[in-house]
mmCIF file of all heavy atoms in Angstrom:
data_model
loop_
_atom_site.group_PDB
_atom_site.id
_atom_site.type_symbol
_atom_site.label_atom_id
_atom_site.label_comp_id
_atom_site.label_asym_id
_atom_site.label_seq_id
_atom_site.Cartn_x
_atom_site.Cartn_y
_atom_site.Cartn_z
ATOM 1 N N VAL U 437 0.844 -1.202 0.000
ATOM 2 C CA VAL U 437 0.000 0.000 0.000
ATOM 3 C C VAL U 437 0.875 1.246 0.000
ATOM 4 O O VAL U 437 0.579 2.233 -0.696
ATOM 5 C CB VAL U 437 -0.958 -0.012 1.216
ATOM 6 C CG1 VAL U 437 -1.709 1.320 1.317
ATOM 7 C CG2 VAL U 437 -1.954 -1.161 1.100
ATOM 8 N N ALA U 438 1.959 1.217 0.752
ATOM 9 C CA ALA U 438 2.853 2.379 0.803
ATOM 10 C C ALA U 438 3.386 2.720 -0.589
ATOM 11 O O ALA U 438 3.448 3.903 -0.981
ATOM 12 C CB ALA U 438 4.008 2.102 1.765
ATOM 13 N N LYS U 439 3.761 1.710 -1.353
ATOM 14 C CA LYS U 439 4.315 1.940 -2.692
ATOM 15 C C LYS U 439 3.297 2.584 -3.624
ATOM 16 O O LYS U 439 3.618 3.508 -4.387
ATOM 17 C CB LYS U 439 4.787 0.609 -3.286
ATOM 18 C CG LYS U 439 5.927 -0.049 -2.534
ATOM 19 C CD LYS U 439 6.198 -1.452 -3.076
ATOM 20 C CE LYS U 439 7.241 -2.186 -2.244
ATOM 21 N NZ LYS U 439 7.439 -3.574 -2.728
ATOM 22 N N VAL U 440 2.057 2.096 -3.580
ATOM 23 C CA VAL U 440 1.027 2.624 -4.481
ATOM 24 C C VAL U 440 0.527 3.981 -3.991
ATOM 25 O O VAL U 440 0.247 4.880 -4.796
ATOM 26 C CB VAL U 440 -0.125 1.604 -4.623
ATOM 27 C CG1 VAL U 440 -1.244 2.159 -5.495
ATOM 28 C CG2 VAL U 440 0.406 0.302 -5.213
ATOM 29 N N ALA U 441 0.420 4.142 -2.670
ATOM 30 C CA ALA U 441 -0.016 5.439 -2.127
ATOM 31 C C ALA U 441 0.960 6.542 -2.517
ATOM 32 O O ALA U 441 0.551 7.659 -2.888
ATOM 33 C CB ALA U 441 -0.146 5.347 -0.607
ATOM 34 N N HIS U 442 2.256 6.242 -2.458
ATOM 35 C CA HIS U 442 3.254 7.254 -2.820
ATOM 36 C C HIS U 442 3.160 7.602 -4.301
ATOM 37 O O HIS U 442 3.265 8.776 -4.686
ATOM 38 C CB HIS U 442 4.656 6.750 -2.477
ATOM 39 C CG HIS U 442 5.698 7.825 -2.518
ATOM 40 N ND1 HIS U 442 6.502 8.056 -3.615
ATOM 41 C CD2 HIS U 442 6.047 8.764 -1.600
ATOM 42 C CE1 HIS U 442 7.306 9.075 -3.376
ATOM 43 N NE2 HIS U 442 7.073 9.521 -2.152
ATOM 44 N N ALA U 443 2.912 6.587 -5.136
ATOM 45 C CA ALA U 443 2.767 6.844 -6.569
ATOM 46 C C ALA U 443 1.539 7.702 -6.853
ATOM 47 O O ALA U 443 1.577 8.614 -7.689
ATOM 48 C CB ALA U 443 2.680 5.528 -7.328
ATOM 49 N N LEU U 444 0.450 7.433 -6.160
ATOM 50 C CA LEU U 444 -0.759 8.244 -6.335
ATOM 51 C C LEU U 444 -0.519 9.679 -5.874
ATOM 52 O O LEU U 444 -0.976 10.640 -6.517
ATOM 53 C CB LEU U 444 -1.920 7.628 -5.554
ATOM 54 C CG LEU U 444 -2.525 6.337 -6.111
ATOM 55 C CD1 LEU U 444 -3.531 5.742 -5.132
ATOM 56 C CD2 LEU U 444 -3.204 6.582 -7.459
ATOM 57 N N LYS U 445 0.187 9.822 -4.782
ATOM 58 C CA LYS U 445 0.478 11.170 -4.275
ATOM 59 C C LYS U 445 1.334 11.943 -5.270
ATOM 60 O O LYS U 445 1.129 13.157 -5.491
ATOM 61 C CB LYS U 445 1.177 11.075 -2.923
ATOM 62 C CG LYS U 445 1.263 12.395 -2.187
ATOM 63 C CD LYS U 445 1.763 12.200 -0.761
ATOM 64 C CE LYS U 445 1.738 13.517 0.013
ATOM 65 N NZ LYS U 445 2.165 13.321 1.419
ATOM 66 N N GLN U 446 2.277 11.253 -5.912
ATOM 67 C CA GLN U 446 3.120 11.898 -6.915
ATOM 68 C C GLN U 446 2.302 12.361 -8.118
ATOM 69 O O GLN U 446 2.663 13.333 -8.788
ATOM 70 C CB GLN U 446 4.211 10.929 -7.377
ATOM 71 C CG GLN U 446 5.270 10.622 -6.328
ATOM 72 C CD GLN U 446 6.066 11.852 -5.934
ATOM 73 O OE1 GLN U 446 5.868 12.423 -4.853
ATOM 74 N NE2 GLN U 446 6.951 12.287 -6.820
ATOM 75 N N LEU U 447 1.189 11.671 -8.368
ATOM 76 C CA LEU U 447 0.286 12.085 -9.450
ATOM 77 C C LEU U 447 -0.539 13.311 -9.076
ATOM 78 O O LEU U 447 -1.209 13.886 -9.926
ATOM 79 C CB LEU U 447 -0.681 10.946 -9.791
ATOM 80 C CG LEU U 447 -0.218 9.845 -10.726
ATOM 81 C CD1 LEU U 447 -1.336 8.823 -10.905
ATOM 82 C CD2 LEU U 447 0.194 10.404 -12.088
ATOM 83 N N GLY U 448 -0.538 13.652 -7.807
ATOM 84 C CA GLY U 448 -1.333 14.782 -7.357
ATOM 85 C C GLY U 448 -2.688 14.397 -6.799
ATOM 86 O O GLY U 448 -3.558 15.262 -6.622
ATOM 87 N N VAL U 449 -2.889 13.119 -6.519
ATOM 88 C CA VAL U 449 -4.159 12.688 -5.924
ATOM 89 C C VAL U 449 -4.267 13.255 -4.521
ATOM 90 O O VAL U 449 -3.340 13.137 -3.707
ATOM 91 C CB VAL U 449 -4.256 11.145 -5.897
ATOM 92 C CG1 VAL U 449 -5.489 10.697 -5.114
ATOM 93 C CG2 VAL U 449 -4.302 10.606 -7.319
ATOM 94 N N LYS U 450 -5.410 13.868 -4.231
ATOM 95 C CA LYS U 450 -5.605 14.546 -2.953
ATOM 96 C C LYS U 450 -6.982 14.192 -2.394
ATOM 97 O O LYS U 450 -7.803 13.557 -3.073
ATOM 98 C CB LYS U 450 -5.472 16.056 -3.133
ATOM 99 C CG LYS U 450 -6.459 16.658 -4.114
ATOM 100 C CD LYS U 450 -6.167 18.119 -4.368
ATOM 101 C CE LYS U 450 -7.221 18.762 -5.266
ATOM 102 N NZ LYS U 450 -7.326 18.098 -6.588
ATOM 103 N N PRO U 451 -7.258 14.576 -1.139
ATOM 104 C CA PRO U 451 -8.567 14.256 -0.546
ATOM 105 C C PRO U 451 -9.727 14.720 -1.426
ATOM 106 O O PRO U 451 -9.727 15.847 -1.934
ATOM 107 C CB PRO U 451 -8.536 15.011 0.784
ATOM 108 C CG PRO U 451 -7.091 15.039 1.159
ATOM 109 C CD PRO U 451 -6.366 15.224 -0.148
ATOM 110 N N GLY U 452 -10.682 13.834 -1.608
ATOM 111 C CA GLY U 452 -11.865 14.150 -2.412
ATOM 112 C C GLY U 452 -11.778 13.722 -3.853
ATOM 113 O O GLY U 452 -12.812 13.593 -4.528
ATOM 114 N N ASP U 453 -10.555 13.508 -4.377
ATOM 115 C CA ASP U 453 -10.419 12.986 -5.735
ATOM 116 C C ASP U 453 -10.997 11.575 -5.794
ATOM 117 O O ASP U 453 -10.947 10.828 -4.819
ATOM 118 C CB ASP U 453 -8.948 12.936 -6.162
ATOM 119 C CG ASP U 453 -8.386 14.309 -6.482
ATOM 120 O OD1 ASP U 453 -9.181 15.248 -6.685
ATOM 121 O OD2 ASP U 453 -7.148 14.443 -6.507
ATOM 122 N N ARG U 454 -11.517 11.217 -6.961
ATOM 123 C CA ARG U 454 -12.037 9.867 -7.106
ATOM 124 C C ARG U 454 -11.005 8.976 -7.797
ATOM 125 O O ARG U 454 -10.387 9.375 -8.784
ATOM 126 C CB ARG U 454 -13.341 9.847 -7.929
ATOM 127 C CG ARG U 454 -14.563 10.167 -7.082
ATOM 128 C CD ARG U 454 -14.688 11.639 -6.783
ATOM 129 N NE ARG U 454 -14.845 12.434 -8.003
ATOM 130 C CZ ARG U 454 -14.448 13.693 -8.125
ATOM 131 N NH1 ARG U 454 -13.860 14.320 -7.118
ATOM 132 N NH2 ARG U 454 -14.647 14.355 -9.272
ATOM 133 N N VAL U 455 -10.855 7.784 -7.233
ATOM 134 C CA VAL U 455 -10.003 6.745 -7.801
ATOM 135 C C VAL U 455 -10.885 5.518 -7.989
ATOM 136 O O VAL U 455 -11.588 5.102 -7.062
ATOM 137 C CB VAL U 455 -8.804 6.432 -6.889
ATOM 138 C CG1 VAL U 455 -8.005 5.256 -7.430
ATOM 139 C CG2 VAL U 455 -7.911 7.665 -6.739
ATOM 140 N N ALA U 456 -10.851 4.932 -9.189
ATOM 141 C CA ALA U 456 -11.793 3.856 -9.510
ATOM 142 C C ALA U 456 -11.057 2.573 -9.880
ATOM 143 O O ALA U 456 -9.894 2.592 -10.291
ATOM 144 C CB ALA U 456 -12.716 4.282 -10.655
ATOM 145 N N GLY U 457 -11.777 1.463 -9.720
ATOM 146 C CA GLY U 457 -11.243 0.164 -10.094
ATOM 147 C C GLY U 457 -12.207 -0.577 -11.003
ATOM 148 O O GLY U 457 -13.402 -0.653 -10.717
ATOM 149 N N PHE U 458 -11.683 -1.107 -12.091
ATOM 150 C CA PHE U 458 -12.426 -2.013 -12.988
ATOM 151 C C PHE U 458 -11.699 -3.341 -12.865
ATOM 152 O O PHE U 458 -10.897 -3.724 -13.699
ATOM 153 C CB PHE U 458 -12.393 -1.455 -14.417
ATOM 154 C CG PHE U 458 -13.130 -2.274 -15.440
ATOM 155 C CD1 PHE U 458 -14.456 -2.621 -15.266
ATOM 156 C CD2 PHE U 458 -12.493 -2.683 -16.608
ATOM 157 C CE1 PHE U 458 -15.133 -3.370 -16.227
ATOM 158 C CE2 PHE U 458 -13.155 -3.424 -17.579
ATOM 159 C CZ PHE U 458 -14.480 -3.771 -17.374
ATOM 160 N N MET U 459 -11.983 -4.040 -11.759
ATOM 161 C CA MET U 459 -11.054 -5.053 -11.276
ATOM 162 C C MET U 459 -11.721 -6.357 -10.871
ATOM 163 O O MET U 459 -12.824 -6.358 -10.314
ATOM 164 C CB MET U 459 -10.330 -4.499 -10.036
ATOM 165 C CG MET U 459 -9.355 -3.374 -10.325
ATOM 166 S SD MET U 459 -7.840 -3.979 -11.115
ATOM 167 C CE MET U 459 -7.116 -4.905 -9.776
ATOM 168 N N PRO U 460 -11.025 -7.486 -11.108
ATOM 169 C CA PRO U 460 -11.414 -8.729 -10.450
ATOM 170 C C PRO U 460 -11.124 -8.632 -8.952
ATOM 171 O O PRO U 460 -10.547 -7.638 -8.483
ATOM 172 C CB PRO U 460 -10.511 -9.783 -11.118
ATOM 173 C CG PRO U 460 -9.865 -9.107 -12.279
ATOM 174 C CD PRO U 460 -9.855 -7.647 -11.979
ATOM 175 N N ASN U 461 -11.481 -9.676 -8.223
ATOM 176 C CA ASN U 461 -11.299 -9.691 -6.769
ATOM 177 C C ASN U 461 -9.875 -10.140 -6.431
ATOM 178 O O ASN U 461 -9.648 -11.223 -5.894
ATOM 179 C CB ASN U 461 -12.337 -10.621 -6.137
ATOM 180 C CG ASN U 461 -12.366 -10.517 -4.631
ATOM 181 O OD1 ASN U 461 -11.778 -9.620 -4.044
ATOM 182 N ND2 ASN U 461 -13.047 -11.457 -3.995
ATOM 183 N N LEU U 462 -8.924 -9.283 -6.741
ATOM 184 C CA LEU U 462 -7.506 -9.576 -6.563
ATOM 185 C C LEU U 462 -6.950 -8.869 -5.332
ATOM 186 O O LEU U 462 -7.499 -7.851 -4.892
ATOM 187 C CB LEU U 462 -6.705 -9.099 -7.787
ATOM 188 C CG LEU U 462 -7.135 -9.599 -9.163
ATOM 189 C CD1 LEU U 462 -6.252 -8.967 -10.243
ATOM 190 C CD2 LEU U 462 -7.049 -11.116 -9.223
ATOM 191 N N PRO U 463 -5.825 -9.324 -4.797
ATOM 192 C CA PRO U 463 -5.171 -8.567 -3.724
ATOM 193 C C PRO U 463 -4.828 -7.145 -4.145
ATOM 194 O O PRO U 463 -4.893 -6.218 -3.329
ATOM 195 C CB PRO U 463 -3.904 -9.390 -3.449
ATOM 196 C CG PRO U 463 -4.248 -10.780 -3.858
ATOM 197 C CD PRO U 463 -5.158 -10.626 -5.044
ATOM 198 N N GLN U 464 -4.477 -6.960 -5.420
ATOM 199 C CA GLN U 464 -4.124 -5.612 -5.894
ATOM 200 C C GLN U 464 -5.308 -4.650 -5.800
ATOM 201 O O GLN U 464 -5.110 -3.439 -5.672
ATOM 202 C CB GLN U 464 -3.619 -5.673 -7.340
ATOM 203 C CG GLN U 464 -2.270 -6.359 -7.499
ATOM 204 C CD GLN U 464 -2.396 -7.844 -7.762
ATOM 205 O OE1 GLN U 464 -3.388 -8.463 -7.360
ATOM 206 N NE2 GLN U 464 -1.411 -8.426 -8.438
ATOM 207 N N THR U 465 -6.529 -5.179 -5.868
ATOM 208 C CA THR U 465 -7.701 -4.319 -5.723
ATOM 209 C C THR U 465 -7.757 -3.758 -4.307
ATOM 210 O O THR U 465 -8.043 -2.569 -4.100
ATOM 211 C CB THR U 465 -8.987 -5.102 -6.029
ATOM 212 O OG1 THR U 465 -8.804 -5.868 -7.218
ATOM 213 C CG2 THR U 465 -10.161 -4.159 -6.208
ATOM 214 N N VAL U 466 -7.489 -4.608 -3.333
ATOM 215 C CA VAL U 466 -7.460 -4.155 -1.934
ATOM 216 C C VAL U 466 -6.340 -3.137 -1.739
ATOM 217 O O VAL U 466 -6.534 -2.092 -1.091
ATOM 218 C CB VAL U 466 -7.270 -5.361 -0.991
ATOM 219 C CG1 VAL U 466 -7.207 -4.887 0.461
ATOM 220 C CG2 VAL U 466 -8.386 -6.381 -1.173
ATOM 221 N N VAL U 467 -5.180 -3.414 -2.308
ATOM 222 C CA VAL U 467 -4.043 -2.497 -2.184
ATOM 223 C C VAL U 467 -4.383 -1.130 -2.776
ATOM 224 O O VAL U 467 -4.123 -0.077 -2.162
ATOM 225 C CB VAL U 467 -2.792 -3.087 -2.867
ATOM 226 C CG1 VAL U 467 -1.672 -2.054 -2.946
ATOM 227 C CG2 VAL U 467 -2.319 -4.328 -2.114
ATOM 228 N N ALA U 468 -4.972 -1.124 -3.960
ATOM 229 C CA ALA U 468 -5.313 0.143 -4.617
ATOM 230 C C ALA U 468 -6.325 0.932 -3.798
ATOM 231 O O ALA U 468 -6.204 2.160 -3.648
ATOM 232 C CB ALA U 468 -5.849 -0.128 -6.022
ATOM 233 N N MET U 469 -7.342 0.250 -3.272
ATOM 234 C CA MET U 469 -8.344 0.936 -2.451
ATOM 235 C C MET U 469 -7.700 1.543 -1.209
ATOM 236 O O MET U 469 -7.952 2.708 -0.865
ATOM 237 C CB MET U 469 -9.450 -0.038 -2.049
ATOM 238 C CG MET U 469 -10.543 0.581 -1.183
ATOM 239 S SD MET U 469 -10.163 0.645 0.599
ATOM 240 C CE MET U 469 -10.310 -1.089 1.036
ATOM 241 N N LEU U 470 -6.864 0.779 -0.518
ATOM 242 C CA LEU U 470 -6.241 1.291 0.705
ATOM 243 C C LEU U 470 -5.279 2.430 0.391
ATOM 244 O O LEU U 470 -5.194 3.407 1.157
ATOM 245 C CB LEU U 470 -5.516 0.157 1.425
ATOM 246 C CG LEU U 470 -6.420 -0.917 2.048
ATOM 247 C CD1 LEU U 470 -5.594 -2.098 2.542
ATOM 248 C CD2 LEU U 470 -7.250 -0.329 3.193
ATOM 249 N N ALA U 471 -4.569 2.323 -0.713
ATOM 250 C CA ALA U 471 -3.661 3.408 -1.099
ATOM 251 C C ALA U 471 -4.431 4.692 -1.373
ATOM 252 O O ALA U 471 -4.045 5.782 -0.924
ATOM 253 C CB ALA U 471 -2.857 2.992 -2.328
ATOM 254 N N ALA U 472 -5.519 4.579 -2.126
ATOM 255 C CA ALA U 472 -6.331 5.764 -2.447
ATOM 256 C C ALA U 472 -6.923 6.381 -1.186
ATOM 257 O O ALA U 472 -6.852 7.601 -0.982
ATOM 258 C CB ALA U 472 -7.433 5.381 -3.435
ATOM 259 N N THR U 473 -7.503 5.550 -0.330
ATOM 260 C CA THR U 473 -8.184 6.094 0.848
ATOM 261 C C THR U 473 -7.196 6.565 1.910
ATOM 262 O O THR U 473 -7.549 7.395 2.745
ATOM 263 C CB THR U 473 -9.160 5.060 1.434
ATOM 264 O OG1 THR U 473 -8.463 3.848 1.752
ATOM 265 C CG2 THR U 473 -10.268 4.744 0.442
ATOM 266 N N SER U 474 -5.963 6.069 1.869
ATOM 267 C CA SER U 474 -4.964 6.603 2.805
ATOM 268 C C SER U 474 -4.714 8.081 2.551
ATOM 269 O O SER U 474 -4.362 8.836 3.464
ATOM 270 C CB SER U 474 -3.650 5.818 2.691
ATOM 271 O OG SER U 474 -2.938 6.156 1.506
ATOM 272 N N LEU U 475 -4.907 8.500 1.291
ATOM 273 C CA LEU U 475 -4.724 9.909 0.905
ATOM 274 C C LEU U 475 -6.006 10.723 1.049
ATOM 275 O O LEU U 475 -5.996 11.932 0.814
ATOM 276 C CB LEU U 475 -4.256 9.984 -0.547
ATOM 277 C CG LEU U 475 -2.955 9.254 -0.895
ATOM 278 C CD1 LEU U 475 -2.711 9.296 -2.396
ATOM 279 C CD2 LEU U 475 -1.777 9.855 -0.142
#
């Protein structure tokens, strides 16, 4: 989650921005959600 959260932050993702998933039920889906919501 730390790795993906930092990458999202570098993109300029900030509170209130929407991050979406078109995803199967993979571990990476959980990681992406936690990374987005950590920000």
